Amino acid sequence: MTDLPVEQTWMVLVELLTDLRKRKVVINTKIPENIRMAKTTINFYKVNPTDPERMKELKRINDFMNDAQDKLIDLAEDIGDDYKDQWIKKLTKASRGEKLYDIPEEKSAFVIGAPPGFSMVRLTFKVPLSEERVQEIAEYHNVIIEFQTDTVIVIYGDKKNIQDSLKEMSSFFTEQIE
């Protein structure tokens, strides 16, 4: 999917936040939290913008962004009017849809399509796993284990069964600790 104008605004806010931190400005923890939540919600929305449930997220995105923007501009004003105006110009350009930054194409970290009523966990290992051993654990604990790559697996099932399978896989973790 193509970039959304709100992503450009998000990038400006991240850059402003970073610059304020470099200037040793004290930042309320709510500001970066809102910026993170905005990005997460944008990514959720972009999966399928025509889905009515995802369309409802647009208001949340705007709420997160507006709150962070207002607070960051207030902090920028404390540094000086020229500094604040510089950032307002960038935000204005971004809100008009002008491209200020290249947005890296990211693959969603969310697993889409988990069966209803199932819990899910994703694990990433440093080295490839033995598929045979992992499938034995899956059968024994009544879970579904899907290999996304040689080192990334997703486990689906009842929460208790997933926990039991993770306990048995704990040896895989200790083997990979150097």
Side-chain angles (χ1 to χ4, degrees):
M1 175 173 196
T2 59
D3 296 343
L4 300 173
V6 73
E7 288 180 291
Q8 292 294 317
T9 302
W10 182 85
M11 292 290 289
V12 172
L13 294 177
V14 169
E15 185 181 21
L16 175 54
L17 175 65
T18 302
D19 193 65
L20 289 169
R21 282 185 170 155
K22 286 179 186 173
R23 294 171 182 263
K24 306 287 189 225
V25 174
V26 176
I27 309 285
N28 180 322
T29 58
K30 186 86 171 142
I31 296 170
E33 183 180 313
N34 281 341
I35 291 173
R36 275 191 303 276
M37 287 302 297
K39 183 62 172 172
T40 301
T41 311
I42 290 167
N43 288 340
F44 176 76
Y45 170 77
K46 284 178 65 173
V47 170
N48 183 3
T50 60
D51 178 3
E53 288 302 310
R54 292 179 194 264
M55 286 182 194
K56 294 176 185 176
E57 298 302 320
L58 290 173
K59 181 186 180 321
R60 287 185 65 217
I61 293 168
N62 285 327
D63 290 346
F64 289 131
M65 299 283 279
N66 288 336
D67 188 58
Q69 182 174 319
D70 290 346
K71 290 175 180 164
L72 287 172
I73 291 298
D74 286 346
L75 293 171
E77 189 172 34
D78 293 343
I79 291 175
D81 287 336
D82 290 342
Y83 183 77
K84 177 190 79 167
D85 292 342
Q86 163 193 345
W87 289 103
I88 288 176
K89 285 179 187 172
K90 280 187 172 186
L91 288 165
T92 302
K93 286 180 181 181
S95 69
R96 281 192 246 138
E98 291 182 35
K99 187 173 182 173
L100 302 171
Y101 305 95
D102 288 328
I103 307 290
E105 188 62 36
E106 298 175 3
K107 285 284 191 188
S108 175
F110 296 108
V111 176
I112 299 168
F118 276 64
S119 294
M120 186 239 31
V121 65
R122 178 194 311 246
L123 300 170
T124 303
F125 294 92
K126 291 181 180 178
V127 295
L129 297 175
S130 164
E131 189 169 339
E132 186 178 301
R133 177 67 182 122
V134 171
Q135 291 307 333
E136 286 176 13
I137 293 171
E139 289 174 21
Y140 184 77
H141 291 288
N142 197 25
V143 294
I144 300 167
I145 299 181
E146 177 182 301
F147 278 79
Q148 291 190 322
T149 68
D150 287 347
T151 59
V152 178
I153 63 171
V154 179
I155 306 173
Y156 303 97
D158 292 330
K159 189 174 183 176
K160 175 77 172 108
N161 293 350
I162 290 175
Q163 289 171 341
D164 291 342
S165 66
L166 288 173
K167 285 177 189 170
E168 191 161 337
M169 284 188 203
S170 65
S171 64
F172 297 155
F173 298 110
T174 54
E175 290 170 7
Q176 296 189 28
I177 296 175
E178 297 176 312

